[in-house]
Amino acid sequence: MNRRSYRLEEIAHLVKGEYFGEKDFQVFNLASLEQAQNQHICFVNGDKYLSQAEASQAGAYIVTAALKQQLSSKNNFIVVDNPYLAFATLTHIFENKIIQRGISSTAKIHPSAIIADDAYIGHYVVIGENCVVGSNTIIQAHTFIDDQVEIGKDCFIDAHVTITGAAKLKDRIRIHANTVIGSEGFGFAPYQGKWHRIAQLGSVQIGNDVRVGSNCSIDRGALDDTILEDGVIIDNLVQIAHNVQIGQHTAIAANTAIAGSVRIGKNCIIGGGSAVAGHLNIADNVTLTGMSMVTKSISEAGTFSSGIGLFENSHWKRTVVRLRQLADVPLIQITKRLDHMQAQLESLESTLKLRK
C-alpha cells in the first residue's frame, strides 16, 4: 500500500535538506504554487517565483537558504542547494507505485523463460522462448516479449509494448506504452527498379537507467547492434533507425528521427522535431535546437540550429521571395557588389577624417 503522508522532518531527510518550522507538519502531496493548499509542499526555483510563493497557500516550501530569507511570511521550509532536484526526488516518494507481484492468470509464458519471483507479469502478456525477466520488473498488460529477449531488474514495461529481435535490456529501464523495440530496420537493396529486402540480423542493446517514451520505434541493427548507452532519455514519438549508437545521458525530445548508422555522443540534447541524416557522427555535448535538420557530421561541442524562425505570414512570404531572388544572383556578383560597397565606405570615412 502506498503511504499517504510524510512529516516535514521525514521529507527533509529524504531530500538531504534541513527543515525549519513544525517538524511534525503533515505533507500529503506535492503541488504547484498556484494550486497548492495547506497540506501540500511546493518548490521555489528562483527569485522570479517569489511573488507566486508569497501568494501561495502551500503549507511548506522547498527553497535555498537565500530564498528562505525572502519569504518571511511563511513558516515551514526545507532548505536545500537545488530545489528542483529535491522536487524530482519527492515525485518518486508520492508516486502511486504498482505493488502487485506475480504472474496474471491470462499471461502466456514459454516454459523455458526465466521470470524472477518478485516480478509482475500483467494480463495477456506473452513471453517467448528463453526470455529472462529480472527481479522487481513490472510488465503491464498485452505486452509481447519475443524469443531470446532479456530484461534486467527494476524495469517498467508499459502496456502494449513489443520487444523483439533478441533485444537485451539492462536495469532500471522504463519503456512506455505502444513502443516497439527491436523491429526490423528499413534496409532494402535497389536492383532493376525494385527494392529487395535485407534481413536484419543485429539486435538492440539498452543500458542502465534508460527511459523510452510512448509510441517510439527503435530498430534492430542490420549486422551490428543498435545501442543506447546508460542514462539515455527519449521522449514520445521518436524513431531510431538500425545501427544507431547513442552515448550516455543524451536526451532526445519528441518527434525526432534518427536515420541509420548515426553515432551520437554523450550528454547531447536533441530538440523536438529534429532529424539526423544517415551515417553521420555527432560529438559529445552537442545541443540541437528544435526542428534542426542535420545533414553533415558535427565534430565539436556546441549549440546548433537550422531552419527559419517564425514570422507573421506576410513577412514570411516576403522573406521567401527575397531568398529566391538572392538564389538567382551568382555568388561572384554578390561578392563584387559587397567589395564595391566596402570601398565606397572606406573612401567616405577617409574624406570625413580629412575634413576634421
Side-chain angles (χ1 to χ4, degrees):
M1 186 179 211
N2 292 310
R3 187 169 168 184
R4 303 309 302 169
S5 68
Y6 292 83
R7 295 184 298 111
L8 188 69
E9 183 181 30
E10 291 178 294
I11 292 177
H13 177 74
L14 290 168
V15 299
K16 298 180 173 58
E18 183 179 4
Y19 76 89
F20 293 85
E22 184 184 344
K23 70 177 182 179
D24 292 326
F25 180 81
Q26 294 289 321
V27 174
F28 286 81
N29 210 340
L30 294 160
S32 65
L33 289 167
E34 295 84 356
Q35 299 297 323
Q37 300 300 316
N38 185 60
Q39 71 272 24
H40 295 140
I41 189 169
C42 297
F43 74 102
V44 185
N45 199 34
D47 291 343
K48 64 181 180 180
Y49 299 107
L50 281 170
S51 59
Q52 291 175 265
E54 287 285 1
S56 177
Q57 300 299 310
Y61 299 84
I62 305 170
V63 294
T64 62
L67 290 171
K68 175 181 177 295
Q69 299 303 316
Q70 300 178 71
L71 290 170
S72 56
S73 64
K74 306 300 179 181
N75 298 316
N76 297 315
F77 298 95
I78 294 174
V79 173
V80 293
D81 292 332
N82 188 330
Y84 195 44
L85 180 61
F87 159 75
T89 300
L90 287 182
T91 60
H92 295 276
I93 304 302
F94 287 102
E95 177 186 23
N96 285 323
K97 298 178 177 63
I98 297 171
I99 59 176
Q100 292 173 284
R101 291 298 181 267
I103 300 172
S104 298
S105 59
T106 55
K108 185 175 179 60
I109 300 174
H110 193 276
S112 64
I114 300 173
I115 312 296
D117 291 339
D118 59 352
Y120 171 67
I121 310 299
H123 285 291
Y124 302 102
V125 169
V126 176
I127 298 179
E129 189 173 350
N130 296 319
C131 290
V132 175
V133 177
S135 176
N136 202 41
T137 283
I138 294 167
I139 301 179
Q140 295 282 60
H142 294 276
T143 287
F144 174 64
I145 310 296
D146 205 356
D147 298 345
Q148 316 296 329
V149 167
E150 296 180 10
I151 301 172
K153 63 183 181 181
D154 300 313
C155 296
F156 174 79
I157 313 298
D158 209 347
H160 295 276
V161 167
T162 294
I163 306 178
T164 185
K168 304 293 185 287
L169 284 63
K170 290 191 176 178
D171 301 334
R172 299 176 303 280
I173 293 169
R174 295 183 65 85
I175 310 294
H176 289 273
N178 300 302
T179 281
V180 179
I181 293 174
S183 55
E184 182 176 88
F186 194 61
F188 295 86
Y191 181 68
Q192 294 183 345
K194 295 182 179 180
W195 296 102
H196 299 265
R197 173 178 168 269
I198 299 170
Q200 305 292 286
L201 306 179
S203 185
V204 177
Q205 296 185 36
I206 299 182
N208 296 313
D209 303 299
V210 169
R211 187 268 190 190
V212 180
S214 61
N215 295 291
C216 294
S217 182
I218 301 175
D219 295 342
R220 65 188 299 180
L223 294 174
D224 300 329
D225 294 341
T226 300
I227 298 173
L228 278 61
E229 295 184 0
D230 294 352
V232 169
I233 56 173
I234 296 173
D235 200 354
N236 304 331
L237 296 163
V238 170
Q239 157 69 14
I240 297 174
H242 56 189
N243 303 102
V244 169
Q245 294 185 18
I246 301 176
Q248 294 178 8
H249 307 296
T250 282
I252 302 176
N255 290 296
T256 291
I258 312 294
S261 300
V262 167
R263 303 290 183 269
I264 299 174
K266 302 174 184 176
N267 299 302
C268 294
I269 299 173
I270 300 180
S274 296
V276 183
H279 299 271
L280 300 182
N281 295 320
I282 296 177
D284 297 344
N285 301 300
V286 165
T287 295
L288 303 176
T289 61
M291 304 291 287
S292 291
M293 177 65 197
V294 183
T295 57
K296 64 179 182 179
S297 292
I298 300 173
S299 58
E300 296 182 358
T303 299
F304 299 83
S305 303
S306 68
I308 299 176
L310 184 71
F311 294 113
E312 187 274 327
N313 183 253
S314 61
H315 186 185
W316 176 81
K317 288 179 178 178
R318 292 195 299 271
T319 301
V320 171
V321 169
R322 289 172 186 142
L323 286 171
R324 287 174 177 167
Q325 291 170 342
L326 185 63
D328 291 336
V329 180
L331 184 60
I332 189 168
Q333 188 175 342
I334 296 172
T335 304
K336 286 181 179 179
R337 288 181 183 178
L338 289 172
D339 289 343
H340 178 67
M341 291 171 64
Q342 184 175 359
Q344 287 181 315
L345 286 170
E346 290 173 353
S347 175
L348 182 60
E349 288 174 354
S350 298
T351 302
L352 290 172
K353 285 179 181 178
L354 287 172
R355 288 181 178 178
K356 290 180 180 178

